[in-house]
Amino acid sequence: MDVFRRLRTTKSSAPQSHQRDMKEFSLQRRPPRVLVVDDNPDTMVLMHELLNTRGYDVVAVSDAAQAEAEIRRHAPDVILSDVIMPGKSGYELCRELKEDPATRLIPFVLITGLTDREDRLRGIEAGADDFLNKPIFAEELFARVKSLLKLKEFTDELENAESVLCTLGLSVESRDPYTEGHCERLAQHASSMGRHLGLEDDSIVALRRGGYLHDLGKIAVPDEILKKGTNLTPAEWRIMKQHPITGENICKPLKSLRLVLPIIRSHHEHSDGSGYPDGLYRSEIPLLARILQVVDVYDALRTARPYKPALTHEQAATTMTEEARTGLWDEELVKEFFDLLQKQQQVA
């Protein structure tokens, strides 16, 4: 009861702060969604009531299984979870959510009465963003939730900015009717290739984003050059060869795209050093860029253009294998890519 007394006595304190919070939330499209996970019904009900008074959309569940179902149904903006619960612990729930790219950016707070240093280290290792110790003080609860919601808001803004850039990438594609669906295919093939090679999740996400953003710099290339496709004059080639640098500069302000920048800049490099914009040679070309250029070349060969017909899969494989042997592409990655396509065909 001591916990509840502390919470209830502070529930109505700081009315001006409460009014400011309500005003801020009223300006948003929807109230922030908070998921409370606690097997103690009294604590669960009380936290639900307290957070509701601050204008939050609160959902309270009693175990990790219900929490996972709720997250799948409607992802929250913040998760507050007890540590010791029947079934899966708060540590395990936190670790699994932080390992999943779809949920890793949701702020996760562990609520615990455990004070041992090792227990806190377990929480940090699980990926917890913050901690609340029992007994809980209401104003500390409000302050932590408000701070983490602000962090989530910044994260969402970054994701929105990335979505805008991806849309711009698709708008570049739409300028050429012969490349319809190119970005989507590259994103799919490149991320599949990353999984096939056993790359980490961050690299796989970068490959998917690179599929959409690799040619973003072509937004600055005039239509008469972009759609000409072949037989460019030296002056036109100088303009075309700037698009990887232009695309890199557009995306550079977003730190979340740091792994995508080498893909954008270097996907037109060749292993023999004859590519652009930097004339990189073999392993000097970043791995993710080498992966994307392999799937990019395959898609280009398999697509009809004004100056060439579409090749069959077998013709594309023969062409790319020969070009890799002469020094244009990474031979090992070309082999791995066609191994991947063969496995996909067998599964289908």
Side-chain angles (χ1 to χ4, degrees):
M1 291 301 296
D2 182 55
V3 176
F4 303 143
R5 262 198 306 273
R6 289 176 185 272
L7 286 169
R8 292 190 186 280
T9 55
T10 54
K11 179 178 174 181
S12 60
S13 63
Q16 292 182 346
S17 173
H18 165 68
Q19 291 171 4
R20 284 196 301 272
D21 290 349
M22 292 294 288
K23 184 177 180 181
E24 288 175 13
F25 298 151
S26 68
L27 297 176
Q28 298 179 359
R29 297 180 187 174
R30 62 170 179 81
R33 189 174 182 82
V34 181
L35 176 62
V36 176
V37 191
D38 199 308
D39 63 315
N40 185 311
D42 292 330
T43 304
M44 184 171 62
V45 169
L46 187 57
M47 290 183 67
H48 184 286
E49 181 183 343
L50 285 169
L51 292 168
N52 249 325
T53 66
R54 290 301 172 102
Y56 301 123
D57 174 17
V58 186
V59 177
V61 298
S62 59
D63 58 43
Q66 293 180 62
E68 290 167 340
E70 184 61 36
I71 292 167
R72 288 192 297 270
R73 189 185 72 83
H74 189 161
D77 296 299
V78 173
I79 300 171
L80 308 173
S81 175
D82 193 16
V83 170
I84 307 300
M85 298 182 291
K88 192 177 294 182
S89 71
Y91 295 131
E92 293 170 309
L93 177 62
C94 180
R95 181 177 293 105
E96 290 177 8
L97 293 177
K98 291 300 182 180
E99 288 176 351
D100 185 345
T103 55
R104 65 171 54 175
L105 295 179
I106 301 174
F108 196 107
V109 180
L110 283 172
I111 303 173
T112 176
L114 302 173
T115 58
D116 192 274
R117 179 171 175 269
E118 291 186 4
D119 293 317
R120 195 173 184 87
L121 286 175
R122 282 186 65 190
I124 294 173
E125 290 172 354
D129 297 279
D130 210 340
F131 299 87
L132 275 173
N133 292 323
K134 295 180 180 179
I136 298 171
F137 291 89
E139 289 307 319
E140 182 182 5
L141 170 68
F142 297 147
R144 298 288 175 98
V145 169
K146 184 177 180 181
S147 175
L148 288 172
L149 282 171
K150 181 62 67 174
L151 176 63
K152 182 63 165 57
E153 183 182 335
F154 292 149
T155 301
D156 290 345
E157 287 177 0
L158 285 175
E159 290 183 337
N160 290 337
E162 289 176 13
S163 296
V164 169
L165 288 177
C166 287
T167 301
L168 282 175
L170 291 172
S171 74
V172 172
E173 176 188 279
S174 69
R175 293 166 66 192
D176 185 350
Y178 291 93
T179 61
E180 183 179 359
H182 175 69
C183 290
E184 183 66 38
R185 292 191 296 272
L186 256 62
Q188 181 179 344
H189 280 315
S191 55
S192 296
M193 183 69 165
R195 283 188 288 271
H196 174 72
L197 296 173
L199 300 185
E200 295 181 353
D201 288 342
D202 287 348
S203 294
I204 294 172
V205 171
L207 285 167
R208 180 179 59 80
R209 291 171 175 168
Y212 292 103
L213 298 173
H214 66 291
D215 276 340
L216 180 61
K218 286 183 178 178
I219 200 168
V221 178
D223 275 355
E224 57 268 25
I225 297 176
L226 188 63
K227 296 181 179 181
K228 190 174 181 181
T230 187
N231 297 325
L232 297 180
T233 67
E236 290 170 338
W237 258 119
R238 282 195 295 272
I239 294 173
M240 180 65 80
K241 287 182 178 181
Q242 286 299 306
H243 83 264
I245 299 173
T246 302
E248 180 190 39
N249 288 335
I250 292 172
C251 296
K252 192 175 289 183
L254 285 178
K255 291 183 179 179
S256 57
L257 294 179
R258 67 189 184 284
L259 294 179
V260 185
L261 297 181
I263 298 175
I264 296 172
R265 185 179 183 97
S266 301
H267 71 282
H268 281 297
E269 300 289 351
H270 294 164
S271 290
D272 62 3
S274 63
Y276 64 89
D278 301 306
L280 302 181
Y281 181 79
R282 293 187 182 277
S283 60
E284 292 177 347
I285 306 171
L287 174 61
L288 299 186
R290 280 182 276 149
I291 292 172
L292 190 101
Q293 69 182 191
V294 167
V295 301
D296 190 12
V297 170
Y298 177 76
D299 193 76
L301 292 174
R302 297 278 285 126
T303 304
R305 301 290 171 86
Y307 51 88
K308 73 166 191 66
L311 300 186
T312 66
H313 169 78
E314 291 73 18
Q315 289 172 327
T318 300
T319 299
M320 290 182 65
T321 300
E322 180 58 31
E323 289 179 343
R325 190 177 297 118
T326 60
L328 287 183
W329 324 120
D330 186 310
E331 282 193 78
E332 186 61 30
L333 288 179
V334 169
K335 178 182 179 301
E336 289 291 342
F337 179 61
F338 284 102
D339 285 347
L340 168 64
L341 294 182
Q342 184 177 9
K343 289 179 181 177
Q344 291 177 339
Q345 183 63 34
Q346 291 171 348
V347 170

